[in-house]
Amino acid sequence: MESILKVNNLHVHYVTDDEVVKAVNGISFELMKGESIGLVGETGAGKTTTALSIMQLIPDPPGIITEGEIIFEGKNMIFNTEKENQKIRGNGISMIFQDPMTALNPIMTIGDQLTEVVLQHKKCSKSEAEKQVKELLETVGVKSDRFNDYPHQFSGGMKQRVVITMALLCNPDLLIADEPTTALDVTIQAQVLEIIMQLQKKFNMSLILITHDLGVVAETCDRVAIVYAGEIVEIGTVEQVYLNTKHPYTKGLFDSIPKIDEDTEKLIPIEGQMPNMAKLPSGCYFHPRCKYCQEICKKEAPPVRGENGHTYRCHFDLFHEGKEK
Amino acid sequence: MNDAKTLLEVRNLKKYFAVPNGYLHAVDDVSFTIKEGETLGIVGESGCGKSTLGRVILRLHEPTDGKIIYNNMDITEFDKEEMRKMRQHMQIVFQDPYASLNPRFTIAQIIEEPLKLHNIYKTEAERRKRVEELMDLVGLAKRMYNMYPHEFDGGRRQRVVIARALSINPKFVVCDEPVSALDVSVQAQILNLMMDLQEKLGLTYIFISHDLSVIKHISDNIGVMYLGQMIEKAPKQDIFKNPLHPYTVALLSAIPSTNVREKKKKIILKGEISSPINPKEGCRFSPRCPFACDICHQKTPVLQEVQPNHFVACHRYQEMMENKLHF
């Protein structure tokens, strides 16, 4: 398989007058053509910052990519000119944002907004562009007679379909979906995920799905990366990570969600809170919340261990097939 | 628990909101009972009327019609003063812990406010003791006594909200999506806290959520709402093992599961929830229901007990029970 995106040791800081917030601290992963990966983590873990870095859309100031490489189709996005990156955005990489309610311009009809995207990136006539837009709208399940409607006339699920259409109009090779279904109800979420998966197959797109929902990842992605305090603490195929969990944080996440197909008497929460990203703890970033914390965890950053593409950052090898050793 | 007495009964409760082109039927003819010490989970999608139901029960919205009987008293007849006294027994916890705390009050001021309003303690010292007791109960350290809400994260704020709701010893608490704004690891902390408190203080909960896994975890009985109506109500095992309403079946199948060993078959419903403004006669789910037939479009089904404690509002429940309808 051909590699489409390679993120190498990415570090992103947000610098303010009083402090430096270290949002991303050395994230590395590779994505193949047609493959999908889920980035899972809690609020403030650095998932969205990673996505924005890939798009080269980090607000600067205060954001700075201090270290690392983002290689998309062989070229390092960080050293590209703004003009080159503008071409890649939309054509090469597209992004769907979390909130469909704010991603659309309220005073333009959705037809005009979508046609504008095509005209911006492709050389074609307006009527051709409109034809393309209507075709793709039908594919995602919006009837083309809604072409002249305004965003407020759509429900949340329908708006998210319009946003998906917008992201896919220029046939991107990579789609980044940032919590695309978090604002939607479960039955609508199922519809929208189904559409994203179908289109991904149809156009052989690669997909980065950002979410906090482990269930959504299990049903849509090939691989999964668990993000904590700006680091990937565990990465592997969905089967590897879900069935043979290795990192105590990943284990903690699984234990703290109520499961729909099992009866659990008591949930086991992860004690404490996410660290302040401006004052990261020493050693392993997870050690203040970790049940298995030892002296070494407080002093030294853990090495990356593991095999067969399933790696994790921990000093110890604690679990076997999801159970304590 | 079966011999526990009924604490709350809701009879044919309706709440219509006047909107420019008619009436929005937010809660439409809902009836149920809750026994003392029980948790009733109310689940449904946005706009189904679950939050309105919670508020109408506390008369934070005036019901359009119907009766709310709490502890054998018809509270729909109460005047303002009687209702104010009644609220000592009935409290609510809201969804957004960022919006429900006054940013200018310290944590202690927030928690003691209901105590002052209801004049429960005479002296400052007594109140202080009670506040400290409550902070301890919900797991907040004493040093936080004089801190402000902005210094707290979502999980701790929700603990403050819970402490405030419990300060005047209510028997009955409506919890309106209390964990939806929280991350999963913190969500588990709050869910455990609420279950511990229920056991310790003998509370009765109505727990409103859109998240079926949370509802399943905390509830004894579950009511499923769709467009203002309760379409199925049963003990939780029955809802999950033996759902009888097509909407419940679809809703359950739509929950993303973390079980990667067996992928379950998903039922993807066509269309979306229809408008609650001036709804037509007939089953409200019928436009999305794959089994809808003529009668479903003409007559609204009533909620009836089809198995012990298992209520469903569907014309074709008989066939559902016999497993004759397949998606």
Side-chain angles (χ1 to χ4, degrees):
Chain A
M1 259 201 289
E2 197 189 332
S3 161
I4 181 165
L5 174 81
K6 207 170 167 188
V7 177
N8 242 336
N9 194 27
L10 181 72
H11 287 255
V12 186
H13 294 176
Y14 293 105
V15 182
T16 67
D17 289 346
D18 324 315
E19 54 187 15
V20 177
V21 177
K22 295 177 179 139
V24 174
N25 304 300
I27 281 188
S28 309
F29 66 93
E30 194 174 6
L31 192 63
M32 302 295 163
K33 207 160 173 40
E35 190 187 40
S36 53
I37 190 168
L39 296 186
V40 182
E42 294 178 79
T43 318
K47 312 177 296 276
T48 303
T49 301
T50 307
L52 290 175
S53 311
I54 295 169
M55 294 286 283
Q56 289 294 302
L57 283 176
I58 291 285
D60 175 18
I64 309 168
I65 298 180
T66 54
E67 227 185 301
E69 294 177 315
I70 296 160
I71 316 251
F72 177 70
E73 294 182 331
K75 285 189 81 180
N76 191 340
M77 302 270 298
I78 297 173
F79 298 128
N80 279 356
T81 62
E82 179 55 25
K83 221 176 182 171
E84 285 172 305
N85 279 336
Q86 226 161 46
K87 249 188 208 150
I88 293 177
R89 271 178 230 134
N91 280 323
I93 312 177
S94 250
M95 188 156 170
I96 301 173
F97 294 93
Q98 173 167 2
D99 187 357
M101 324 296 162
T102 51
L104 296 169
N105 185 339
I107 56 166
M108 272 172 94
T109 65
I110 61 132
D112 283 348
Q113 297 188 42
L114 294 172
T115 314
E116 194 185 25
V117 175
V118 182
L119 292 174
Q120 185 73 242
H121 288 280
K122 286 184 188 168
K123 285 205 177 73
C124 64
S125 71
K126 196 167 177 211
S127 60
E128 252 173 78
E130 283 181 3
K131 200 175 140 247
Q132 263 187 41
V133 168
K134 283 183 183 164
E135 265 175 33
L136 194 59
L137 277 176
E138 293 274 351
T139 318
V140 301
V142 180
K143 295 217 172 61
S144 53
D145 58 3
R146 304 208 61 183
F147 191 79
N148 290 319
D149 284 354
Y150 287 91
H152 75 265
Q153 292 167 289
F154 288 80
S155 65
M158 282 313 220
K159 265 188 219 156
Q160 198 58 295
R161 286 169 206 242
V162 173
V163 174
I164 292 172
T165 311
M166 190 180 268
L168 298 182
L169 270 170
C170 297
N171 306 323
D173 300 312
L174 169 63
L175 176 69
I176 304 177
D178 187 0
E179 307 255 9
T181 56
T182 307
L184 308 175
D185 284 314
V186 278
T187 60
I188 310 298
Q189 164 170 288
Q191 293 173 355
V192 170
L193 289 176
E194 184 78 15
I195 291 169
I196 293 180
M197 273 154 62
Q198 274 172 9
L199 295 172
Q200 193 213 344
K201 281 210 186 77
K202 198 170 159 194
F203 300 120
N204 195 27
M205 262 186 325
S206 306
L207 172 71
I208 299 179
L209 182 77
I210 296 175
T211 176
H212 62 269
D213 189 330
L214 285 158
V216 168
V217 170
E219 296 193 347
T220 40
C221 295
D222 305 320
R223 286 163 70 219
V224 58
I226 311 287
V227 186
Y228 184 78
E231 278 185 335
I232 293 181
V233 294
E234 184 161 3
I235 186 169
T237 65
V238 168
E239 285 79 16
Q240 284 170 337
V241 173
Y242 282 54
L243 301 178
N244 191 13
T245 307
K246 287 290 189 186
H247 196 280
Y249 177 64
T250 318
K251 181 89 170 75
L253 278 184
F254 280 114
D255 287 341
S256 57
I257 45 174
K259 287 171 206 63
I260 209 75
D261 34 21
E262 278 166 47
D263 289 314
T264 29
E265 270 301 301
K266 195 121 198 189
L267 301 170
I268 310 163
I270 306 174
E271 291 306 324
Q273 279 90 30
M274 279 271 288
N276 178 349
M277 303 291 273
K279 292 191 207 91
L280 284 167
S282 60
C284 171
Y285 294 155
F286 186 59
H287 88 254
R289 299 177 74 181
C290 185
K291 279 197 278 195
Y292 309 96
C293 177
Q294 306 280 332
E295 272 313 304
I296 184 171
C297 306
K298 295 177 190 162
K299 289 183 195 127
E300 280 172 46
V304 178
R305 306 152 63 105
E307 50 192 11
N308 299 332
H310 180 196
T311 59
Y312 58 99
R313 274 173 196 259
C314 184
H315 286 293
F316 304 103
D317 185 10
L318 293 163
F319 309 108
H320 180 69
E321 294 188 352
K323 300 249 159 31
E324 261 176 65
K325 268 186 178 170
Chain B
M1 185 146 74
N2 284 329
D3 35 279
K5 69 176 182 127
T6 300
L7 184 72
L8 179 84
E9 184 180 355
V10 170
R11 263 188 232 154
N12 305 91
L13 195 65
K14 288 181 189 163
K15 175 66 194 174
Y16 297 170
F17 291 103
V19 289
N21 41 0
Y23 283 97
L24 187 152
H25 295 218
V27 175
D28 206 357
D29 211 355
V30 169
S31 307
F32 59 83
T33 57
I34 305 178
K35 292 205 167 80
E36 213 161 62
E38 175 190 317
T39 302
L40 173 67
I42 307 254
V43 68
E45 297 181 86
S46 31
C48 73
K50 53 191 190 306
S51 289
T52 308
L53 176 67
R55 286 168 198 213
V56 172
I57 289 172
L58 298 186
R59 283 186 62 199
L60 297 174
H61 290 312
E62 283 305 319
T64 308
D65 195 19
K67 289 213 177 313
I68 304 157
I69 295 154
Y70 177 84
N71 219 353
N72 297 325
M73 291 173 283
D74 183 357
I75 64 167
T76 31
E77 303 288 321
F78 279 18
D79 64 23
K80 227 173 159 183
E81 185 51 35
E82 285 173 309
M83 202 53 223
R84 202 180 68 84
K85 286 207 183 103
M86 205 56 216
R87 293 224 170 86
Q88 280 191 38
H89 308 287
M90 312 169 87
Q91 282 290 313
I92 185 163
V93 172
F94 292 106
Q95 170 170 8
D96 184 357
Y98 292 87
S100 51
L101 296 176
N102 186 338
R104 288 166 181 273
F105 276 20
T106 64
I107 300 312
Q109 283 172 318
I110 290 169
I111 299 176
E112 75 175 354
E113 207 186 8
L115 299 175
K116 281 182 170 164
L117 280 174
H118 290 280
N119 254 329
I120 297 192
Y121 296 105
K122 295 282 172 303
T123 65
E124 184 83 38
E126 274 177 317
R127 268 206 302 275
R128 186 177 171 114
K129 195 169 147 259
R130 174 71 180 149
V131 170
E132 283 177 354
E133 207 177 279
L134 284 160
M135 286 176 68
D136 188 48
L137 187 70
V138 298
L140 292 170
K142 274 202 182 70
R143 64 183 162 80
M144 296 168 181
Y145 193 83
N146 284 320
M147 281 164 84
Y148 285 90
H150 74 264
E151 298 173 82
F152 283 26
D153 61 10
R156 288 222 184 92
R157 280 168 193 247
Q158 204 58 294
R159 287 176 197 265
V160 176
V161 176
I162 293 170
R164 175 177 64 185
L166 296 182
S167 60
I168 44 180
N169 279 322
K171 293 292 306 164
F172 172 71
V173 184
V174 174
C175 314
D176 188 2
E177 305 254 17
V179 295
S180 307
L182 308 175
D183 273 316
V184 283
S185 66
V186 181
Q187 173 181 307
Q189 296 172 4
I190 299 295
L191 283 177
N192 281 346
L193 172 68
M194 296 185 74
M195 290 170 82
D196 288 345
L197 290 174
Q198 175 168 42
E199 207 168 290
K200 230 183 264 175
L201 308 173
L203 299 170
T204 307
Y205 288 143
I206 285 189
F207 196 98
I208 298 166
S209 179
H210 67 279
D211 187 335
L212 271 154
S213 19
V214 168
I215 285 279
K216 179 189 176 206
H217 186 72
I218 201 161
S219 310
D220 301 309
N221 289 305
I222 296 176
V224 183
M225 283 186 75
Y226 191 83
L227 265 182
Q229 294 174 331
M230 195 165 279
I231 51 143
E232 186 160 4
K233 178 181 174 273
K236 75 169 164 197
Q237 287 82 4
D238 288 355
I239 286 272
F240 282 87
K241 296 225 169 74
N242 181 25
L244 290 178
H245 197 286
Y247 176 69
T248 315
V249 178
L251 195 63
L252 291 175
S253 89
I255 312 164
S257 157
T258 51
N259 189 342
V260 292
R261 279 206 182 85
E262 11 176 333
K263 300 246 162 164
K264 57 181 178 180
K265 199 178 152 262
K266 262 205 176 153
I267 301 158
I268 302 217
L269 286 176
K270 299 230 162 47
E272 295 178 34
I273 206 161
S274 39
S275 167
I277 298 170
N278 302 332
K280 285 196 286 278
E281 184 68 14
C283 171
R284 295 195 181 166
F285 182 59
S286 61
R288 294 173 82 186
C289 182
F291 312 125
C293 49
D294 287 344
I295 186 167
C296 306
H297 296 296
Q298 288 151 10
K299 211 175 142 232
T300 311
V302 261
L303 191 71
Q304 50 185 321
E305 190 166 8
V306 297
Q307 281 164 356
N309 288 323
H310 196 147
F311 298 80
V312 65
C314 176
H315 290 299
R316 304 187 72 179
Y317 74 86
Q318 203 73 40
E319 289 153 277
M320 284 297 284
M321 271 164 75
E322 287 158 17
N323 224 348
K324 282 183 182 157
L325 299 177
H326 298 281
F327 279 92

